[in-house]
Amino acid sequence: MVQMIALWVILPLLSIAVALPVFRLVRGPSLPDRVVALDVMGTVAIAIFAAYALINDQPAFLDAALVVGLIGFIGTIAFAYYAERRL
Amino acid sequence: MISLFQDIVSSVLLIIGTFLLLLAGIGIVRLPDIFLRMSAASKASSLGAGCILLAVAVSAADIAITVRAVAGVLFLFLTAPVAAHMIGRAAYMIGVPRWKGTVIDELKGRYDTRRHTLRGVDGAAQRPQRGAGPLGDVRDAGR
């Protein structure tokens, strides 16, 4: 049951949730707006990886989710340093 | 095979997490200010992804998958506040405009963004003290 729910309910809603911040990424008035939008997209990507691991019974996707989260964290920190020291 | 109990708990956690992630996406689009958007981004999205990872951990039949999912939850809850703090601090330093409904800015005029030093509050700055420089007595000497 949980795999059917994840396939037919969770993944479409998560695809909407990962498409919404693209608006802010394109339109955002300042650099930190875009960085926050990218951060949210990375977090939703972790959730999509986890749901995919649940659907296909492939635990290797969980490792990919961890790596994506690490890259998103380091990217956000780097962008924060860049935006602050640029003045 | 997973039991019915695991199935129900995992489904409920999946639905809660997806709802929170949708809220985070809507908040990113709709909220008026970088700081308000950041609150939606850090809290709702980390809790939503944590719920989905916990759903994976509950429904897993193998202990290795559970450990990996719980490690992912811990990593997410450790890194999301740090990232939000860093980007919010950078946004304040470079002077991103705030929403017009924001009424309190307690740091306004008290922080030297060039030298990263904190000016004291008004009462403390007038108190005579030995060694107080032109910026006042409360000073972040380590920076």
Side-chain angles (χ1 to χ4, degrees):
Chain A
M1 183 180 81
V2 63
Q3 289 179 342
M4 296 311 285
I5 286 178
L7 179 58
W8 294 108
V9 179
I10 302 301
L11 274 188
L13 291 178
L14 283 183
S15 64
I16 295 173
V18 83
L20 278 174
V22 175
F23 173 76
R24 189 54 65 192
L25 186 66
V26 174
R27 169 98 191 285
S30 66
L31 176 68
D33 285 314
R34 298 169 208 263
V35 177
V36 168
L38 265 183
D39 197 17
V40 171
M41 286 170 72
T43 313
V44 181
I46 294 175
I48 289 177
F49 274 117
Y52 207 79
L54 187 61
I55 290 168
N56 286 337
D57 218 353
Q58 290 279 334
F61 282 106
L62 283 178
D63 301 336
L66 279 178
V67 171
V68 167
L70 189 62
I71 290 175
F73 173 63
I74 293 175
T76 305
I77 296 293
F79 265 118
Y81 263 110
Y82 165 68
E84 194 175 336
R85 301 291 180 226
R86 199 177 45 171
L87 4 128
Chain B
M1 285 305 291
I2 60 178
S3 66
L4 183 65
F5 180 69
Q6 279 175 317
D7 226 3
I8 290 172
V9 171
S10 173
S11 304
V12 169
L13 278 174
L14 272 181
I15 290 170
I16 290 174
T18 307
F19 175 69
L20 286 170
L21 282 173
L22 267 180
L23 272 189
I26 293 170
I28 284 291
V29 173
R30 290 288 298 167
L31 285 176
D33 189 0
I34 168 72
F35 301 102
L36 298 173
R37 275 177 218 140
M38 210 174 51
S39 86
S42 66
K43 285 179 291 206
S45 75
S46 68
L47 195 57
C51 277
I52 290 184
L53 281 170
L54 270 187
V56 176
V58 167
S59 79
D62 192 2
I63 190 70
I65 305 173
T66 305
V67 167
R68 252 180 264 177
V70 171
V73 173
L74 283 181
F75 174 76
L76 203 63
F77 280 9
L78 279 180
T79 57
V82 176
H85 171 79
M86 292 285 294
I87 199 68
R89 178 187 159 92
Y92 188 86
M93 291 301 163
I94 67 176
V96 172
R98 280 178 285 280
W99 182 41
K100 63 180 186 303
T102 304
V103 291
I104 292 181
D105 181 9
E106 289 186 329
L107 210 56
K108 183 173 186 169
R110 287 185 184 147
Y111 198 81
D112 189 356
T113 57
R114 195 62 54 90
R115 297 171 59 188
H116 293 286
T117 50
L118 184 67
R119 216 183 292 257
V121 295
D122 294 337
Q126 290 168 359
R127 194 171 54 219
Q129 193 170 17
R130 259 185 335 135
L135 277 177
D137 53 351
V138 180
R139 175 180 303 214
D140 196 1
R143 302 297 295 261

